[in-house]
Every structure is written in C-alpha cells, then in structure tokens.
Amino acid sequence: MTQHYFSESPAGPTQFREIQIELAGRPRTVVTAGGVFSPEHLDVGTAVLLRTLAASTESDSISGPILDLGCGWGPIALSAALTHPRAEVWAVDVNERARELTAANARRLDIEHLRVAAPDAVPQSLQFAAIHSNPPIRIGKQALHELLTQWLPRLAPGGTASLVVAKHLGAVSLQQWIAQQFPELSVSRVARDRGFHVIAATRS
C-alpha cells in the first residue's frame, strides 16, 4: 500500500534530519523526517503563507486560539506560536509522525503554548480566532471539502482562515467553493505569489 504524508502511520524508516529555516524573522534549526510533507525544506506555498501573514496588520491582534490544520513538521504552527506568545496554538494532523516532529520542534524552540493533537482530540467546543493552513490538496477534492466543512465552521466571530493553495491545483475553484458553501464567511484572495494564492475567509 502506498504511503503518503497524509497517512496516519507512515511506513519506512524515520530518517531524522536537521534543516535551517526562517521563522518569525529569525533563523531556526528544526528537525524533519521522511513520511511527512516537504521534509527537506520549507515548502514554497508555506513560505508564501507565512510572508502574507507576517505582512497582515490583522494578525497582530490575534489573542484567541490559532489552528494549524495539517501541521506537517510544524512550520506554520511554530511561526504562529513565536509570533503570538499569548495565544494558544493547536497543531493538528492525522499523521502521527508529523505530530511527533511538531512537538519535538516546539521543545527545541522552547515553545510551551503549542498543543499538538490528532483531529479527534481537539475539544469540540473550541473555536478558533484564526486558522492557518497549507491544506492537503492531494487528498482529493471530496476529502478536502469534507475537511474544510469540518473545521471552517469552528472559526470564532471575527476570525479568519488563511489558506494557501497552488493555482494549478485549484486555488480559484476552491475559493469559489468556500464562498458558496459558507455564505457566513467573507472570502477573498489576499495574496498571489510564485504560483500560489492565499485565500482569506473571515466570519463576521
């Protein structure tokens, strides 16, 4: 059976490696491994999302819980935790190895307010002030729609979901689908860079 980064328990050796990336304006050394998304470097789409979030003045005021949906080895969650030291950050992934790596990287960076969890371990009553995600497009359209249908309604009033999607993988159609499926959200493209779109969906 083929194993993907969105498998719950990836097969094969872990093969830990250290890489250096910039997070929250500073170089950081983190650990990655095979069997997770983009283990060799910071994915281009993730980098576009992080730059967009860093340039957003709205993100300065986040104090409620922040969700990184599909955290991988943790760059989005780690950046959120470093940028918002008073906000509780949740890093969620179905991939057990990804969760282990995110937790290890939080310890490396002395981050104590980051909570790593499987999707079903997040309290059902929890609402999020922000959702930051490079969503797993390659799980397929139906599965992706089911994933977003599960999590976008958990935005708190005034909260924004920021999603980065490659144009050639359906960024435009996904933006249209979100707007149609969730009329309570204001949906727009807030950035376009290196073939990626950043979609913002805000609950009024």
Side-chain angles (χ1 to χ4, degrees):
M1 177 178 177
T2 301
Q3 296 291 311
H4 303 279
Y5 65 83
F6 44 84
S7 300
E8 292 185 13
S9 300
T14 303
Q15 298 179 333
F16 291 110
R17 70 193 78 180
E18 289 188 343
I19 63 172
Q20 189 172 80
I21 61 172
E22 182 175 308
L23 289 176
R26 286 179 49 191
R28 321 274 181 172
T29 300
V30 296
V31 63
T32 73
V36 301
F37 177 66
S38 191
E40 297 181 354
H41 54 79
L42 184 66
D43 171 71
V44 174
T46 298
V48 168
L49 177 62
L50 294 180
R51 285 196 299 270
T52 301
L53 292 171
S56 172
T57 56
E58 292 182 3
S59 68
D60 296 339
S61 60
I62 297 175
S63 58
I66 300 171
L67 170 66
D68 174 5
L69 181 59
C71 63
W73 48 264
I76 296 173
L78 296 168
S79 179
L82 291 165
T83 305
H84 306 285
R86 293 184 177 85
E88 182 180 63
V89 177
W90 286 77
V92 172
D93 205 299
V94 298
N95 184 321
E96 180 181 24
R97 189 174 296 172
R99 297 195 303 269
E100 292 172 353
L101 289 167
T102 299
N105 285 324
R107 291 192 296 270
R108 278 174 165 248
L109 300 178
D110 294 322
I111 296 171
E112 298 181 351
H113 58 292
L114 192 156
R115 305 186 67 168
V116 182
D120 59 3
V122 180
Q124 288 292 325
S125 60
L126 187 62
Q127 290 188 309
F128 296 97
I131 297 174
H132 300 162
S133 181
N134 185 346
I137 297 295
R138 296 187 186 278
I139 62 175
K141 182 181 291 188
Q142 181 177 344
L144 177 65
H145 287 179
E146 291 174 357
L147 182 72
L148 295 179
T149 298
Q150 177 184 357
W151 292 99
L152 289 181
R154 300 183 67 170
L155 275 173
T160 297
S162 300
L163 314 175
V164 64
V165 182
K167 180 181 179 181
H168 77 279
L169 292 178
V172 174
S173 62
L174 182 63
Q175 179 180 334
Q176 293 170 343
W177 178 84
I178 294 172
Q180 294 169 356
Q181 188 73 18
F182 303 97
E184 71 277 16
L185 302 180
S186 175
V187 184
S188 63
R189 185 186 70 206
V190 295
R192 180 172 57 186
D193 185 13
R194 301 187 68 179
F196 287 85
H197 293 187
V198 178
I199 303 166
T202 302
R203 183 182 293 279
S204 58

